[in-house]
Each structure stands twice: as C-alpha cells, then as structure tokens.
Amino acid sequence: MISATPAMPRRSPLRTRARILTATRAGAALIVSLLFFAPIYWMILTALKSGNEAFKATPSLIVWPDFENFALVFTQSNFGLALSTSLFVSVTSTVLCLVLGASIAYPLARVKMRGQKHIAFWILSLRIIPPIAVIIPLFLLLRSVGLTGSIWSLVIVYTYMNLPLTVWLLRGFFADLPTEIEEASFVDGAGRLRTFIGITLPLTAPGLIATALLCFIFAWNEFLFANILTGAATRTAPVGLTEYVTPVSVEWNKIMAAGTLVVLPVWIGALAAQRYLVRGLTLGAVK
Amino acid sequence: MPDSTATLTRGAVHRSGRGGWSWFARRYGAILPMAPGMLFLVVMSIYPTIYSLVISLFRWNLSDPTRMRFGGWHNFGLLLTDVTFWNAVGVTFKFVLIAVSLELILGLAIALLFFQRFPGDRFLRALLILPMVVAPVVVGLLSRYMLNVQFGIITFLTEALGLGRIDFFGEPNLALGTLIVIDIWQWTPFMFLIMLAALQGVPEDIIEAAKVDGARPVRIFFDHILHLIRYPVAVAVALRLIDAFRVYDIIFMTTRGGPIDVTQTLSWQIYDAGFKSLDIGYAAAYSWLMLIIVVATVTLVLRLLLNEQASR
Amino acid sequence: MTAYSSIKDVTPGVSDGKVAGIEFAAVNMTFADGTTALKSLDLTIEEGEFVVFVGPSGCGKSTALRILAGLEQATGGTVAIKGRDVTDLGPQQRDIAMVFQSYALYPHKSVYENLAYPLRIRGLDKGTIETAVAGVADLLGLTALLKRKPGALSGGQRQRVAMGRALVRNPEAFLMDEPLSNLDAALRVEMRGEIKRLHRRLGVTTVYVTHDQVEAMTMGDRVAVLRGGELQQFDAPQRLYEQPANMFVASFIGSPAINLAMAAIGAESSVMTLAGTEIGLPPSRRPEGHPAGPVMVGIRPEAFSYRRDLEHDVSLTITPDLIESLGAELLVHFALPAAPVPVALTSSAKSAVSPIALSGNAAEMSTRFIAKLDARCAYAVGKPATVWFSTDHLMLFEAATGRTILASAPMIKLSV
C-alpha cells in the first residue's frame, strides 16, 4: 500500500494572521458578552445570597447558592399569585392574538381583495401609537364597561397591543408558504379548512411559535397598563415587584429573587426560539 | 383542428347568479374570518382616537368631572407655550436619539465580531441577547440596586477607582445619561441580533467580487455591506425609535422624572398630567402632540436612512 | 393517431372518440390588474387523449390549466370535464389530479403520507390506502423511499412522488404544469418517456403544459400552441410542423427555428423573388389568388441539402459565416445575399408587417439563415458554396398577418 504522506499543516504567514485575528475577535466578543451578562449575573447572584451578604462592604462574586430568598418570595407575599395572574393573562392574550391574528392574516396573505395593502398598513400603523397616548381613553372605555380591576381588561388590552404585530408577522409567514402546496391539497380534494389545519398550520408552525413567544414576552413584561388597570387582587408580576420597594425596608435579596422569577421563563423561551425571534423582532425585515 | 363534435349540454347545470347566500359565501367566504379581529381592532383604535381627539378640545379635570368646558385649541396653546413641554421634548429627543444611534453603532460593531464563526460563539450570543427580554421593571430595580450609593456594586467599583461615591440617579448632570446607558444595555442586543442576521443575509458573491476587485475589508464594509443592509437597518432603527419614545417603566422605577426635570420625558409627563393631576383634556392634547412628534421623527429618520444610503 | 387509438381501446365505453374528455368553451380570463391571459379559448380534448399546451411564457397556457383545475376562476365561458360543467366547482369537486412544476409535495409528510393524502381525504379505509400506495410506489420505483421526507429526496425522486400522488387515485384527468422543467436534461428525457408509457397504460385524459416545443412534439397526441392568450393551432405534432397555421407556429415548432425572409411574388404567382434570385414555382406550389407583392417565405433548416437530388432542385449560393457541428450534421449559418428588392416593395412591406408577422428586427430576421446539412459536406467558413432545396418545402406567409398562404407539401417518405 502506498500511503500518501499527509501534508504537514503549513504555517503560512497568512494563516497565522488569520488565527490571530480570529482569536482577537473571539476575545473581544467574550469581553462584550460578559459585560452585557454581568448585571444579570449580579441579579441571580444576589438572589442566591443569604441574609446580609447583599450589603457586605466587599461584594463577593461567588456564593454558595441559597434558595431561601426564592422560598420567602412565595411564602411571605402574594408574589406567587402575581406570577400566576401574569401567566394567565399572558397565555390567554397570546392565544386570542394568534386566533384573531391568523384569521386576519391568512386571508390577507392569500385572498385577492381590494385595498389589501391599505388594510395591512393600517394594522401595522397601530403599532406606532405610544401606549401612553391611548391609555386614558382605553381606561375610560374599560371603566365604562366595568372591566377595570379585572384581569380581563388586561387580556383585552394586551390582545389589542400585540394583534398588529401578530397579523403582520403571520401574514409574512403565510405568504412565504408556496401557494402551490395548498393548491395541491385542494386538487387532492381537501377543502379550505382541512388544508389550513392539515397543511398550512403545520408548515408555518415555527413562525407561529415565534409569534406566540413574542406576544407572550410583551404581555408578560408589560407594566404601564398593568399598573393602572389592575386592582390589589389582580396584580401581575411586574406590578407585584414594585411593592417590594418601600421607603422603610428594601430587601434586595428578595427583590432580585422575584426579578429572577419574572425573567426566567422568558429567557428559556427566548433561547429556545432564538432563530425565529430575529424575524419576529424585525417584523420580517430580516429572514 | 378541433375535430371533435361532442356537444356539451350547457345550461343543464344550475348556475347560481348574483345574490343569495351561496353567492355571498362564494364571494366573501374567504375573507369572512377576518371580521371578528378587524372589528376588535377598529373598535379598540377608533374609539380611543375619537375620544381623545374630542376631550383634547375640552378643559376637563377628573378631580371635578362635572365641570367640562369646551376650550377649542386651549390645551394645545397651553402646551406649546409651556416651558415644561419644551423641556420634555428636549429630554425625550436627547434620550431617543443618543440611545438609538449608540445602540445601532454598538450593535453593528458587535455583529461584526460575531459575523465569522469562532468556537463558543453560540454560547456567547445566548448570553448577549438576554438583556432585551428582561422586563423593564426588573431592569429598573436591578439598576437601582447596582447603582445604590451605599452598597451598590458600581459604587464599590467607583470607590475602588478613586472616583468616590456617585449618585447616578440623583445627580442632575448624570441622571439622563444613566438612563441612556441602561437603555443601551437593554437594547443593543436587539440591534446586534438584527444586524447579525442582516450581515448574514448579504450575498457572499458580492463580497467575493469586491475582494477579487482588490477592495480591502474596511472598504468593502463601507462601500457595499452598509448599502446592502440598509433596509434591515432602517426597520431596526424605526422600531427602536418607536419603542424609545415610549420609555416609561424604567423612569417609573428609578428617577420618576427627577432630579428637578432632567428626566421628564413626554411619556412621563402625559402620565403625570392624566393620572396625577387628572387633567385629562390636557393629557389628551399632549398625547396628540406626542404622536405627531413620533410619527414625524420616525418618518424623517427612515427617509434619511433609506435615501442617503440609496444614493451612494 | 395510431398510438392514440390504442389508448381508446383500454377505455371501456368509448367507442368512437366522440365523447369530449375536456371542453373549453369561449373561456376568457382577465386578471384584476387588467391583463388578459386568455381570449375566448375554444378547445375540445377527447377522452383519453394526451394534449400538450405549449407557447412562450405569458401565452396563457398555465392559466388555461389552472382554470381547468379550478384554481383560477375564468372571467367568462365554461369548462366541462366528461360532459359535466365544472365552471363553478372548486378544485376539490372536479376529480382531477395535478402535478405542479415545483412538485408541491407536503414537506412535513413522509413519501407514504404524501401518496396517501388524496385517499385519506376521500375517507378510504386503511387497507385500501395501503394497497393503492404500495401499487403506485411499485409502479414508480418509490417503495424504498416511502418513509423518507421530501427534503431527503433528489429532484428526480420528488418528481416521481408528485406523479405518484396524482396516480394514486383514478381521476378524470391528469393535469401537469411543466412537471419536468426542474430536472436536468438527461432525466427530463427519461421521465418524458416514462410519462408517455404511463399514459399509454392508464389511458387517462392528460393535459400537459410546457414551454419546450421538443417536449410538446414528442409527448402530445395533439398540441395546442398558444400565444398572447390566443389559441394559434391545435393539431397533431407532425401537422404543426408541416402545416403551421401561421408564421408564429412555424417559427415556434422546430429547432433550429425556421428561416424566414421577405420575398416578392411575381405578377402571375408563378415566380417568386428571394434575395435577388427568381425562383420558378411549379403549379402545385403557387399561392393561387394571392396578389403580387411582398410575402414572408419560410424554409426549415433541415429542408436544405448540400447536393442536388430529386427533392432538392433549387440552388442558392451562400457564404457560410459560422459552422456548428452536431456530429452527424452541421449547422451552417449564412446571411442571405443582400437583395436588390425594389424600394417601393420594402417600404410597403415594412409598414405592412404587423407585430404578429415579425417581432422587431425584420431585416435581421429575414437575412440570417441556418441550414442543417449532412456532415459529409465539405463547407468552410468564408468559402462560397451552394445549398439546394425544393419549392415543396417552401412555406409562404402573408407579410401583414403572418397567416399561412402555402404550407409545405406533405413529406413523402421514399421506401427503400
């Protein structure tokens, strides 16, 4: 057997330069990433610190994790209730958004109709309005139907707030699906509804999931409406957080523990759907 | 030649004409599902619009709800001659423009670091994007904790560096800058993600053609890449502008407009007028002015970005 | 037409081919943006026939197919399948199967599920579905691929799955929209034959859309040539080649395309002037009744010969400026000698030539010729030579409308 001599990895000056460049970039990226992550690390660390560790003169960067603060958050206050209220409101409004959004977006993407573009742009333009600009009329509207203080007022407002984005995104996802695939299903004998459920939805699922995630995050993090429209029993988690801050006692360990609890579910979702998130965040401008 | 003579019994099949349920269903059935959602959007947007347009013309304070007097342009006149309004316009523009432009530059720079792959880049990217999904309320609390004059980690660092204790939120010269830095921390990851995706969408052959033509990387970036990513850049900037104008949660959790009035943004003042002074006519007029400012700014910036780049 | 009568034999109940498989009656299509895709299309396809719609892009062939499938709603006229008016029916109710250009496989379903889908919708029981899918998979050589997703298949395999999905049930008609255009050349030729064999075996009425005239000629029992939404001619391939209805059909069918030049008919229609040469026309080849004046003359490249014989008795002296070898044959390019055509004639001809007769550059088109000659000819670029043809192969078209005045005489094959 004639064995070919494996070519020795040549250390050409060009290749060495490329290696140094990559190493430099990686190093810079590491520093930048750590810089952005540092506050989050600090929050989680504080949440895991026990007792007065948080107020020590020389802060320690590593601690033995102590989950006491998390336990206290649930036992000493209504934060558990606030979290479940947030969960209910966010999930409900997300589901409503997807159902209403898909039923607007699908015809908008598929059916030829007059003024199609105008409708789409009108819907998108709703997103530019600052919430603060509509909060008073919405507050009065909801009060007139007796919904202020009820979690349904938040469900309605969040659905309204996220619907334009949902429609815009779903329209893009539906439009990206080749019409021929749906037409093939029609020719194969399936009706519109069956085609939509059996072909269209499964094929646009990644987009639907990303959209759902965005709706959820926006609803989950929202504070302005939540602060004004909820009563004592219907506080969402962000509103609940503010109650920890009292002039007399500021228990930072517990606040950070509660903050971590607010942020954690969203992080997990965002990391899982990172790929689709970009497209959602840019209204589909980047694929 | 069509040589078949088979005839078709035309008219044997019933052809439903115009009118009737089946005609309606065939013609509009496909767009009928839009109705509930569209109705919801129309009600939720038209009602507040008209309502706020009407009350903006009235002098109406909810502390005395029965006294509602027509004021015409009174509220608008009051606003346009009010120093605090113009202060808020200035503060908001400073905040929005500085934050968004720095976020764009930083985001693009970081995206360039991540553009070519290196070991572990996925993990770092995951760390990097976390800030943008943190609830603004949590961001506010976290920054208060970290910047606390007594025991904050930043205070610890400034003391270690010999700068002494700095009250970032209490110092009139620093408060707005601090808020801008916080916004940059939270939203640069957003710009980064979009810029990275945009860069990855640049067709490789164009870059390769430029390389073959002898262009250096810096030249390629400014001559070609910037031009090719202008659309995603414009969308990202527009979205960030819209959101930056809304800034409210963080101010609520930290400075509450102070010290004095250096962090009094438009959003904050509308909230103040509507929910503290209960002067809702005034707040409605304020909202309209703000909407005009936002729309005008976004339009202007978009035009600048897309035209300037396109003419290259 | 012989192959075609054998198809009918396997279709019981059809005795004399008088039942229309598919009928388009005065079908019009105008899109919302005002573009007209079809102008009053009348077309009757016989039961069991393989018909090809061919034409350049935008000619309306795909629109006609989509209207037939029910995917597009015609703005006027009626469509019938097997005598049943389906104009107002959706694609679901038409009982047709379609193969799309992009194949349109369901990417989230396995090959098996793709093939089973039309049957599942019809609510057939599991056993029947399994048998049918297995049968089709066997027929198309897909058995080993049934568990795969379309993403894991090659282009040719996807094409087969798309065919299989159409074949798995017994539709009234197969519709195919450029099904082979995404395959490479060799595979395309292979699948072309396979589709024809399948058709012969199953005998189901098939409408096949393509822009490729070779596909149209080789596959169609009859071919409908469309242009600008109008049916130009609907005939058997050989007749399209020999007896084109107009200049468009003549130039669309055949490769390389037919050579076209401006010529003049003499006062008694017994003489024609082409490139300054007078050509005497035998009685059978005279454009009787046509007034003296300009005509367009067409000669197919393969009608030329490098030597004189019984069939090639008119000579033309040329100077080749490019010679391309095809192996057994050569494509000899030459410019028709500049003709001292009377000024009055050219100007009137130019103004008379409508877009349908000549698209754009009349001079260019009328002077560039290609002759397809036996490779044994020893022609060289730049060296004057003589080519021969017969007046039997000349076609004459009205200069103004492009309508055929005189088609080529039917080819007489000399049996050895």
Side-chain angles (χ1 to χ4, degrees):
Chain A
M1 197 180 108
I2 305 157
S3 66
T5 358
M8 286 292 290
R10 274 193 313 126
R11 298 256 160 160
S12 69
L14 205 69
R15 200 172 288 181
T16 314
R17 228 187 104 214
R19 274 165 167 262
I20 294 171
L21 242 129
T22 307
T24 317
R25 277 191 307 110
L30 178 72
I31 294 168
V32 169
S33 307
L34 289 182
L35 221 56
F36 274 88
F37 182 66
I40 290 163
Y41 178 72
W42 195 241
M43 173 172 78
I44 298 170
L45 194 75
T46 308
L48 293 172
K49 281 176 184 173
S50 61
N52 290 328
E53 183 108 31
F55 300 98
K56 272 207 315 199
T58 314
S60 41
L61 287 174
I62 297 165
V63 293
W64 187 252
D66 179 346
F67 292 93
E68 193 201 354
N69 295 318
F70 290 95
L72 288 176
V73 162
F74 284 107
T75 52
Q76 283 187 346
S77 65
N78 284 336
F79 200 67
L81 178 68
L83 279 174
S84 63
T85 305
S86 266
L87 192 68
F88 175 81
V89 168
S90 305
V91 168
T92 313
S93 76
T94 299
V95 169
L96 271 174
C97 248
L98 285 185
V99 172
L100 291 177
S103 57
I104 295 178
Y106 186 71
L108 218 47
R110 279 287 186 260
V111 184
K112 283 171 205 149
M113 63 183 97
R114 240 171 284 163
Q116 209 155 10
K117 276 211 172 126
H118 297 292
I119 296 172
F121 272 98
W122 174 72
I123 292 173
L124 185 66
S125 75
L126 294 176
R127 183 152 170 6
I128 203 174
I129 300 169
I132 194 82
V134 290
I135 193 162
I136 293 165
L138 275 183
F139 176 75
L140 296 172
L141 174 68
L142 290 166
R143 200 177 61 172
S144 71
V145 290
L147 274 176
T148 39
S150 146
I151 46 176
W152 291 104
S153 63
L154 278 187
V155 170
I156 291 171
V157 168
Y158 292 166
T159 305
Y160 169 61
M161 207 174 69
N162 287 329
L163 196 51
L165 176 82
T166 309
V167 169
W168 192 260
L169 288 178
L170 292 185
R171 175 174 164 262
F173 291 125
F174 289 141
D176 279 356
L177 184 71
T179 25
E180 287 195 344
I181 289 183
E182 287 171 334
E183 287 174 349
S185 173
F186 295 153
V187 172
D188 282 343
R192 261 189 191 275
L193 192 65
R194 178 153 190 176
T195 301
F196 185 74
I197 292 168
I199 305 292
T200 314
L201 282 186
L203 289 177
T204 48
L208 291 170
I209 292 167
T211 310
L213 186 69
L214 282 177
C215 287
F216 181 87
I217 293 176
F218 291 145
W220 179 264
N221 287 350
E222 208 280 338
F223 174 71
L224 178 61
F225 283 101
N227 192 29
I228 287 160
L229 293 176
T230 54
T234 56
R235 295 214 159 98
T236 61
V239 181
L241 265 184
T242 63
E243 285 171 25
Y244 279 96
V245 192
T246 53
V248 275
S249 83
V250 182
E251 297 169 285
W252 286 109
N253 306 52
K254 273 192 254 167
I255 294 174
M256 291 299 115
T260 307
L261 286 173
V262 171
V263 166
L264 220 52
V266 177
W267 275 344
I268 294 165
L271 290 180
Q274 220 190 108
R275 209 150 52 88
Y276 308 109
L277 216 55
V278 178
R279 196 162 166 204
L281 287 169
T282 53
L283 304 173
V286 178
K287 286 182 184 171
Chain B
M1 290 283 109
D3 53 3
S4 169
T5 52
T7 48
L8 169 71
T9 48
R10 240 180 304 258
V13 177
H14 171 70
R15 301 281 299 275
S16 44
R18 283 180 158 250
W21 169 248
S22 78
W23 176 82
F24 179 81
R26 205 169 57 236
R27 180 143 189 184
Y28 295 109
I31 61 167
L32 214 58
M34 294 173 75
M38 289 302 288
L39 198 69
F40 178 67
L41 280 178
V42 168
V43 169
M44 292 291 283
S45 63
I46 302 290
Y47 175 82
T49 308
I50 293 171
Y51 193 94
S52 110
L53 197 60
V54 170
I55 60 172
S56 71
L57 301 174
F58 280 83
R59 300 161 90 163
W60 189 20
N61 194 305
L62 280 187
S63 58
D64 188 5
T66 47
R67 239 181 73 139
M68 186 178 171
R69 287 173 301 139
F70 184 74
W73 299 109
H74 171 81
N75 289 323
F76 291 92
L78 215 59
L79 268 167
L80 293 172
T81 54
D82 189 343
V83 195
T84 57
F85 169 75
W86 291 109
N87 173 63
V89 170
V91 168
T92 307
F93 268 104
K94 253 189 247 168
F95 177 84
V96 168
L97 295 182
I98 295 175
V100 173
S101 47
L102 286 178
E103 282 157 19
L104 175 65
I105 293 167
L106 278 174
L108 194 51
I110 302 172
L112 286 171
L113 285 181
F114 278 83
F115 178 48
Q116 278 175 331
R117 309 231 23 207
F118 56 82
D121 60 345
R122 272 177 191 281
F123 176 72
L124 291 187
R125 201 171 62 191
L127 286 187
L128 195 49
I129 65 165
L130 289 179
M132 68 177 184
V133 288
V134 178
V137 171
V138 176
V139 174
L141 282 171
L142 183 57
S143 56
R144 260 177 74 176
Y145 173 54
M146 291 180 69
L147 297 172
N148 188 293
V149 192
Q150 267 98 50
F151 49 79
I153 176 89
I154 303 290
T155 305
F156 175 79
L157 289 177
T158 55
E159 279 196 315
L161 291 170
L163 296 168
R165 299 188 164 191
I166 302 170
D167 186 358
F168 285 95
F169 289 126
E171 191 69 47
N173 290 328
L174 292 178
L176 187 63
T178 307
L179 288 178
I180 289 174
V181 170
I182 294 170
D183 197 74
I184 289 173
W185 174 76
Q186 180 156 37
W187 292 110
T188 298
F190 170 82
M191 285 289 192
F192 156 71
L193 265 190
I194 296 174
M195 293 304 114
L196 186 61
L199 287 176
Q200 283 163 348
V202 172
E204 216 155 300
D205 50 356
I206 294 183
I207 298 173
E208 280 167 359
K211 272 187 194 162
V212 171
D213 287 343
R216 296 189 151 274
V218 177
R219 191 77 202 262
I220 295 174
F221 178 76
F222 284 103
D223 280 2
H224 303 286
I225 296 177
L226 269 189
H227 178 73
L228 289 167
I229 61 172
R230 69 185 189 284
Y231 185 56
V233 165
V235 174
V237 168
L239 287 172
R240 273 305 300 140
L241 283 176
I242 291 170
D243 281 345
F245 271 108
R246 298 176 172 184
V247 64
Y248 168 81
D249 303 8
I250 290 187
I251 296 174
F252 182 92
M253 297 308 294
T254 57
T255 63
R256 296 192 163 236
I260 319 166
D261 58 359
V262 299
T263 59
Q264 296 256 346
T265 61
L266 293 168
S267 286
W268 182 260
Q269 287 207 331
I270 293 174
Y271 175 79
D272 239 18
F275 288 91
K276 284 205 194 123
S277 317
L278 298 178
D279 199 347
I280 62 168
Y282 182 79
Y286 210 138
S287 301
W288 277 100
L289 286 182
M290 177 174 176
L291 183 61
I292 291 166
I293 289 171
V294 174
V295 171
T297 310
V298 172
T299 315
L300 189 75
V301 169
L302 273 184
R303 194 156 291 177
L304 276 175
L305 275 177
L306 291 176
N307 282 353
E308 193 200 351
Q309 291 288 339
S311 60
R312 264 174 197 254
Chain C
M1 295 302 250
T2 48
Y4 156 50
S5 58
S6 71
I7 296 160
K8 268 183 292 181
D9 293 342
V10 298
T11 318
V14 179
S15 47
D16 57 353
K18 291 295 183 197
V19 171
I22 290 163
E23 185 176 347
F24 287 88
V27 170
N28 281 301
M29 185 68 188
T30 308
F31 286 114
D33 62 1
T35 50
T36 302
L38 283 179
K39 281 176 217 155
S40 191
L41 176 67
D42 282 301
L43 194 77
T44 305
I45 297 166
E46 283 177 41
E47 174 66 25
E49 203 174 7
F50 195 115
V51 165
V52 179
F53 288 179
V54 71
S57 59
C59 70
K61 56 189 191 295
S62 281
T63 307
L65 192 75
R66 289 173 61 80
I67 287 172
L68 177 57
L71 294 170
E72 215 87 61
Q73 196 70 36
T75 41
T78 54
V79 180
I81 299 173
K82 273 196 178 167
R84 180 171 69 124
D85 186 337
V86 296
T87 316
D88 284 338
L89 299 183
Q92 299 86 358
Q93 294 121 27
R94 295 195 177 190
D95 196 17
I96 37 121
M98 185 158 169
V99 179
F100 291 82
Q101 182 173 11
S102 65
Y103 314 142
L105 301 180
Y106 308 124
H108 59 308
K109 292 180 189 283
S110 66
V111 170
Y112 180 90
E113 283 303 322
N114 264 282
L115 296 176
Y117 187 73
L119 305 177
R120 282 200 199 289
I121 284 165
R122 280 160 183 76
L124 299 185
D125 63 277
K126 221 178 156 195
T128 316
I129 293 177
E130 265 172 30
T131 318
V133 171
V136 166
D138 186 47
L139 184 71
L140 293 169
L142 293 169
T143 311
L145 307 171
L146 284 176
K147 288 208 173 85
R148 294 215 200 150
K149 291 270 176 74
L153 300 179
S154 71
Q157 289 166 338
R158 283 181 211 182
Q159 212 283 331
R160 281 165 189 276
V161 178
M163 293 286 302
R165 197 172 56 185
L167 290 171
V168 76
R169 59 202 167 91
N170 283 322
E172 301 277 14
F174 285 132
L175 313 185
M176 304 192 187
D177 190 2
E178 309 223 11
L180 304 182
S181 63
N182 285 332
L183 299 180
D184 62 53
L187 207 51
R188 196 151 49 205
V189 173
E190 189 192 316
M191 283 309 294
R192 205 161 79 190
E194 197 157 330
I195 290 174
K196 269 309 272 184
R197 275 192 292 276
L198 277 170
H199 174 252
R200 204 149 296 165
R201 189 160 147 187
L202 301 168
V204 176
T205 315
T206 304
V207 182
Y208 186 106
V209 163
T210 181
H211 64 272
D212 179 354
Q213 57 97 12
V214 178
E215 241 169 55
M217 295 291 281
T218 52
M219 299 182 81
D221 293 327
R222 281 194 294 169
V223 176
V225 183
L226 286 112
R227 185 192 198 211
E230 283 178 286
L231 181 63
Q232 305 290 307
Q233 191 170 0
F234 183 36
D235 244 325
Q238 201 59 36
R239 277 180 64 92
L240 289 181
Y241 181 79
E242 289 167 4
Q243 318 262 303
N246 56 41
M247 207 159 78
F248 173 76
V249 176
S251 57
F252 192 80
I253 302 293
S255 173
I258 192 168
N259 299 299
L260 291 167
M262 193 79 78
I265 296 291
E268 291 179 17
S269 79
S270 60
V271 175
M272 182 184 79
T273 314
L274 172 66
T277 317
E278 285 208 340
I279 298 168
L281 299 174
S284 66
R285 305 297 298 153
R286 284 175 192 163
E288 299 296 347
H290 191 272
V295 290
M296 291 300 294
V297 61
I299 313 172
R300 294 206 177 271
E302 48 276 26
F304 287 106
S305 172
Y306 71 102
R307 61 181 181 193
R308 177 175 192 161
D309 57 29
L310 277 176
E311 279 190 63
H312 304 89
D313 52 0
V314 185
S315 73
L316 202 62
T317 304
I318 61 154
T319 308
D321 51 25
L322 174 68
I323 297 179
E324 295 168 306
S325 172
L326 300 177
E329 283 140 337
L330 301 180
L331 294 183
V332 178
H333 295 244
F334 58 92
L336 212 57
V341 185
V343 178
L345 191 153
T346 36
S347 65
S348 74
K350 262 182 196 156
S351 61
V353 170
S354 75
I356 198 153
L358 286 177
S359 46
N361 200 333
E364 181 69 21
M365 208 172 143
S366 58
T367 55
R368 301 294 323 165
F369 265 47
I370 297 175
K372 193 177 193 177
L373 302 174
D374 193 298
R376 279 172 293 182
C377 74
Y379 290 179
V381 170
K383 222 175 90 185
T386 307
V387 289
W388 298 86
F389 64 96
S390 160
T391 51
D392 279 354
H393 299 147
L394 286 181
M395 295 190 204
L396 298 181
F397 307 100
E398 274 184 7
T401 62
R403 207 168 52 80
T404 303
I405 305 163
L406 188 71
S408 58
M411 292 220 187
I412 302 153
K413 293 273 179 319
L414 299 172
S415 47
V416 183

